[in-house]
Amino acid sequence: MVDAERRLLANALQDIDNQHFVLLSDSCVPLHKFDYVYDYLMGTNLSFIDSFYDPGPHGNFRYSQNMLPEVRESDFRKGSQWFSVKRQHALMTIADSLYYTKFKLYCKPGMEGGRNCYADEHYMPTLFNMMDPNGIANWSVTHVDWSEGKWHPKAYRAQDVTYGLLKNITSIDMSHHVTSDSK
């Protein structure tokens, strides 16, 4: 997945007019008009990369000591695989070989100790936590509801989508990270 993200960014960077890069799920639905989203993204100096410390089994339990000395456990982060990055962060992502290699080798399913690490949930959050923590918003431009505590976020069905739900989602002004730690 990270390989595909890097190839997409590399290809999009070839056009000098591209200044912001967004990767979304095919199930993402816009909650604002295009002009609003465009102006919002272009008007900020931040990239929107979800990045947080998760002390539980789906977070830092996935860390491998083999990432040392470049990636310490205290730097290891989790976040959404969906992102919105400024041009300079897209360039940083494709230029990186040091951290990328660590994640390619040591963040994958079936690792030692029964760990299943997924690079698309950890590589970019960790990279930008280490390289430019003040350059990211620390949340994503997508809304995801992890409150059910399952492997995947809540799926909204047609009957769930009401005016009230959409109004509630669009009024959210802070990111709440649900960790896999039972505490």
Side-chain angles (χ1 to χ4, degrees), residues 22 24 30-42:
V22 180
L24 298 173
L31 298 178
H32 294 281
K33 292 180 181 181
F34 176 82
D35 289 342
Y36 175 91
V37 175
Y38 179 86
D39 291 344
Y40 182 82
L41 295 177
M42 296 305 288

Side-chain angles (χ1 to χ4, degrees), residues 83-98:
F83 59 81
S84 171
V85 296
K86 301 301 262 186
R87 187 174 190 86
Q88 77 259 19
H89 288 143
L91 288 165
M92 285 173 63
T93 301
I94 65 163
D96 170 51
S97 61
L98 178 66

Side-chain angles (χ1 to χ4, degrees), residues 77-149:
R77 294 291 183 271
K78 183 177 181 175
S80 171
Q81 68 193 54
W82 314 120
F83 59 81
S84 171
V85 296
K86 301 301 262 186
R87 187 174 190 86
Q88 77 259 19
H89 288 143
L91 288 165
M92 285 173 63
T93 301
I94 65 163
D96 170 51
S97 61
L98 178 66
Y99 302 112
Y100 167 74
T101 301
K102 289 290 185 174
F103 277 85
K104 187 173 181 106
L105 294 174
Y106 304 116
C107 185
K108 54 189 175 184
M111 297 299 293
E112 76 280 346
R115 291 177 171 87
N116 288 314
C117 189
Y118 303 98
D120 59 323
E121 295 178 2
H122 297 283
Y123 169 66
M124 287 185 69
T126 302
L127 175 69
F128 288 101
N129 174 61
M130 295 174 68
M131 300 290 291
D132 190 11
N134 294 323
I136 62 173
N138 232 0
W139 54 280
S140 174
V141 292
T142 61
H143 168 73
V144 182
D145 182 351
W146 287 100
S147 65
E148 295 178 341

